[in-house]
Amino acid sequence: MTRLISTFFYVGLLRPAPGTWGSLAAIPAAWGLHAIGGFLALVLGTVAVALIGWWATKVETDASGIEDPAEIVIDEVLGMFLALWPVSYGAMFAATGFWSLYPGIIVAFLTFRLFDIWKPGPVGYADRRGDALGVMLDDAIAGGMAMMVVCVAAVLAHLPLL
């Protein structure tokens, strides 16, 4: 069960770049949660992924002895869910579909991957913890940073033209 969870239904076994595959797989999962219950469902799903993902990651890393195995992508799902919060909230607020805000989805994906790979500041600090919490936390922070970029991009995109 922990392998199924930590690899996000075995998406983490795809090569090359399992983290990118996990990030991409998180998008339709976030949409599904949004379709079921709007922004609140995505928030609750994010909390569930964080808690269950942390547990599954701890079990898998303890068993393998590897600090951050490439096939563990539940952390990317957590980061992408966070990065997509503004998209889900915006879609709910504007009473439109999740996919209608596709520019926000693209910005969320690209900036999350950038921060996850680059690991600036607090992302790198969390990554260097060397434990299951660090595995999850670095992507949560990268997702939070991407969330901020999505918000700024949305504001800029909706400024009236002068």
Side-chain angles (χ1 to χ4, degrees):
M1 180 61 73
T2 58
R3 184 146 174 86
L4 182 73
I5 294 166
S6 66
T7 62
F8 197 60
F9 303 97
Y10 304 114
V11 169
L13 301 178
L14 295 174
R15 298 290 184 265
T20 299
W21 288 110
S23 299
L24 284 170
I27 297 170
W31 166 73
L33 288 169
H34 176 85
I36 291 168
F39 177 66
L40 179 60
L42 181 55
V43 169
L44 294 174
T46 303
V47 171
V49 163
L51 296 174
I52 295 167
W54 181 20
W55 165 74
T57 298
K58 178 154 180 41
V59 170
E60 289 295 312
T61 56
D62 287 351
S64 72
I66 302 170
E67 286 180 7
D68 192 358
E71 66 269 9
I72 293 181
V73 296
I74 193 68
D75 51 332
E76 274 80 14
V77 174
L78 172 61
M80 276 302 298
F81 277 15
L82 288 166
L84 290 167
W85 278 16
V87 173
S88 178
Y89 183 80
M92 181 190 70
F93 183 77
T96 190
F98 182 87
W99 296 107
S100 298
L101 301 180
Y102 72 90
I105 296 168
I106 294 168
V107 171
F109 174 75
L110 292 176
T111 57
F112 170 69
R113 291 307 299 147
L114 173 70
F115 294 139
D116 187 31
I117 293 166
W118 177 27
K119 302 203 183 305
V123 180
Y125 173 76
D127 184 61
R128 289 188 296 274
R129 285 180 54 98
D131 61 3
L133 180 59
V135 171
M136 297 298 290
L137 193 56
D138 79 307
D139 290 87
I141 295 168
M145 292 170 70
M147 179 195 314
M148 289 187 275
V149 173
V150 172
C151 289
V152 169
V155 167
L156 293 174
H158 293 92
L159 283 177
L161 295 176
L162 299 176

